[in-house]
Amino acid sequence: MLKNYFKIAIAVLKRRKFFTFISLFGISFTLTILMVATALTDKMISPDYPDFKRDRSLYVERMEFKNSKEGWMNSSNVSRYFLQHYVAKLNHLQMVAITSTSKASNAYVNNKKLVINYQYTNADYWNVLEYKFLEGKPFAQKQIDNAEMVAVITRETKEAYFGDAPSVVGKYISADNINYRVIGVVENVSETVRNFSGDMYLPYSIAKEDGNSTNLMGGYNAVLLAKSEDDLPKLRNEFAQMVKRLPIPTDFDKLYCNADPFFTSITRRLGGDATNEAVGKVISMAAGFLLLFLLLPTINLVNINITRIMERSSEIGVRKAFGASSKTLVYQFIVENMILTFLGGFIGIVLSLLVIFLINETNFVSNMRLSINLTVLCYSLLACVFFGLLSGVYPAWRMSKLNVVKALKA
């Protein structure tokens, strides 16, 4: 029976090529966008090189002072002083990775300008983050204490500045007319891994900022590594209690600073503020957008199916006249629609692989490598089945209600 339905479905698809093209385009295009968007999202929120310890990490990025009476506020990244004199003393903290916001410098190779983005870090930065060293090693606390002009550069920077030199450890790289001795080369980091992507990493003791400043705001971020995954809630609570005891500058009466798990740090930035994590809000918005994105092509598919089925009213009338039950006809049309949906799904998967391959090959986002998430692929196929059924049931039900006499006259 299914074999006959399959033959009928293929014959119908060939007969109405324009409707078939519209249906397959809608299904495959929707699935392709869904798969590529999911691959991008997965890349953004899943643990990725070099930030692999997210299950016991908290992220500190912003501090906010607020004058609730006047209604104005001031916000910025946090200072090195705040991280060293308050955060580093927390009991449930194992280590803290400190990094500055990215800055740009200019280098010249063969009279051509090379922009090198650099960040200042502390020594534990290399213990919290798991960079892959291709040559040399990271700078140690002693080199930071001595304010040595040393640098860790990425493979891409090495190739752009030193060409095909087999080893560059011990050589000097000049940026903004300052010479740094290269002590290590690490694998590149994707720009999607925020705060950790750069071309060159330097000891924070050689930063130009005032090392004696006691301001709480500054140009730094931090990753707090708890001693264990179980200690993470305790560390977060300890951080919140510490923030309550911080001195509030004159002209302000409120101070906010949060240490968030990775996903919460994203939702707070996307839809929240200092007092609102916005996890539910961001998830609801994403789910609503996804539902709308899937529902629109489904509604179009329903309309196309109704048109296509109504054009076959003569066939339906003849089959009913020869004893075919409504149940049999409904079953047939649903199977036909499922075949169409699966064809569209297969084309969508092929297109998704092609688009992801092109994104990776063209380096659309620096050092980003997307891949198909098999779990998402399975859920996407289930979504195809669900919406295939949804878009097929209503037209099939409309068809089953056709009067035999009217159907034969059509």
Side-chain angles (χ1 to χ4, degrees):
M1 184 68 74
L2 284 175
K3 185 178 179 181
N4 290 333
Y5 287 166
F6 182 79
K7 289 181 178 178
I8 294 172
I10 297 299
V12 171
L13 294 181
K14 288 182 178 178
R15 189 174 63 195
R16 303 294 294 176
K17 293 179 181 176
F18 178 72
F19 283 158
T20 302
F21 170 76
I22 295 295
S23 301
L24 290 178
F25 177 80
I27 296 169
S28 58
F29 182 74
T30 303
L31 187 61
T32 301
I33 296 295
L34 182 64
M35 292 296 297
V36 174
T38 304
L40 280 168
T41 305
D42 183 55
K43 188 70 178 176
M44 295 286 290
I45 65 177
S46 296
D48 195 9
Y49 170 79
D51 189 16
F52 292 117
K53 299 175 183 173
R54 290 181 185 172
D55 57 345
R56 58 190 184 106
S57 295
L58 295 174
Y59 298 79
V60 181
E61 298 176 359
R62 306 292 293 176
M63 180 172 287
E64 180 177 309
F65 298 148
K66 189 171 184 179
N67 186 318
S68 56
K69 295 179 181 177
E70 301 293 334
W72 47 276
M73 47 85 77
N74 186 18
S75 68
S76 173
N77 294 82
V78 298
S79 70
R80 215 171 79 195
Y81 173 82
F82 165 69
L83 294 170
Q84 290 176 319
H85 288 80
Y86 292 98
V87 177
K89 297 176 181 176
L90 298 178
N91 293 324
H92 294 92
L93 179 72
Q94 182 177 4
M95 285 182 286
V96 55
I98 300 174
T99 178
S100 69
T101 52
S102 184
K103 307 175 191 301
S105 63
N106 296 324
Y108 291 89
V109 182
N110 298 326
N111 295 322
K112 291 185 178 179
K113 187 172 80 170
L114 174 66
V115 177
I116 298 178
N117 293 313
Y118 65 95
Q119 294 169 280
Y120 295 111
T121 81
N122 66 339
D124 275 339
Y125 179 83
W126 305 103
N127 297 318
V128 176
L129 286 306
E130 299 180 5
Y131 282 81
K132 180 182 179 182
F133 273 81
L134 306 176
E135 292 180 45
K137 58 185 179 182
F139 39 81
Q141 186 59 47
K142 183 178 179 181
Q143 290 168 302
I144 290 180
D145 293 340
N146 294 334
E148 294 185 25
M149 305 296 282
V150 293
V152 172
I153 62 175
T154 62
R155 176 177 54 80
E156 205 168 60
T157 306
K158 171 195 168 184
E159 293 170 352
Y161 192 88
F162 296 102
D164 56 358
S167 176
V168 297
V169 172
K171 295 185 177 181
Y172 284 84
I173 184 171
S174 179
D176 284 347
N177 296 319
I178 301 175
N179 292 327
Y180 303 98
R181 180 168 55 88
V182 178
I183 62 169
V185 179
V186 295
E187 186 55 85
N188 300 325
V189 178
S190 169
E191 288 184 357
T192 57
V193 187
R194 61 195 182 117
N195 296 339
F196 311 124
S197 174
D199 302 318
M200 183 167 67
Y201 304 88
L202 307 170
Y204 66 10
S205 56
I206 63 175
K208 294 178 182 177
E209 66 186 22
D210 181 7
N212 296 320
S213 172
T214 58
N215 290 332
L216 299 178
M217 287 184 174
Y220 286 85
N221 307 304
V223 182
L224 315 187
L225 187 67
K227 295 175 181 175
S228 67
E229 195 173 342
D230 292 336
D231 276 349
L232 201 66
K234 300 174 186 174
L235 177 60
R236 195 180 188 194
N237 182 58
E238 189 181 5
F239 182 91
Q241 296 303 317
M242 177 271 295
V243 168
K244 291 179 180 177
R245 297 192 294 271
L246 290 174
I248 301 176
T250 309
D251 299 334
F252 298 93
D253 57 0
K254 299 286 186 183
L255 187 157
Y256 302 101
C257 186
N258 299 286
D260 292 323
F262 184 81
F263 185 70
T264 305
S265 69
I266 292 178
T267 58
R268 189 187 294 279
R269 175 174 291 192
L270 290 178
D273 53 35
T275 58
N276 181 13
E277 295 179 352
V279 176
K281 178 182 176 182
V282 171
I283 292 177
S284 299
M285 290 174 62
F289 175 78
L290 181 63
L291 181 63
L292 185 64
F293 185 72
L294 292 175
L295 200 57
L296 288 176
T298 302
I299 293 173
N300 287 331
L301 196 57
V302 167
N303 291 327
I304 291 173
N305 285 341
I306 290 174
T307 304
R308 186 164 52 195
I309 287 175
M310 290 305 153
E311 284 186 337
R312 297 168 64 185
S313 56
S314 299
E315 173 195 334
I316 295 167
V318 170
R319 293 196 61 188
K320 279 195 168 184
F322 279 89
S325 66
S326 296
K327 182 179 178 182
T328 301
L329 292 171
V330 167
Y331 180 61
Q332 174 191 334
F333 281 99
I334 289 178
V335 170
E336 286 182 16
N337 199 61
M338 290 304 300
I339 292 171
L340 178 69
T341 304
F342 275 116
L343 281 175
F346 176 75
I347 296 172
I349 291 172
V350 173
L351 288 176
S352 301
L353 292 172
L354 179 62
V355 171
I356 287 175
F357 172 78
L358 290 175
I359 290 175
N360 290 340
E361 286 300 305
T362 57
N363 205 19
F364 181 67
V365 177
S366 180
N367 299 310
M368 181 183 71
R369 289 292 178 270
L370 298 181
S371 60
I372 289 287
N373 186 314
L374 293 180
T375 303
V376 174
L377 177 62
C378 292
Y379 280 117
S380 298
L381 290 176
L382 286 175
C384 280
V385 173
F386 175 74
F387 285 101
L389 282 171
L390 190 65
S391 61
V393 167
Y394 178 68
W397 176 80
R398 284 276 303 271
M399 172 274 305
S400 69
K401 298 298 180 184
L402 279 178
N403 181 277
V404 176
V405 177
K406 289 183 179 179
L408 288 172
K409 287 182 178 178

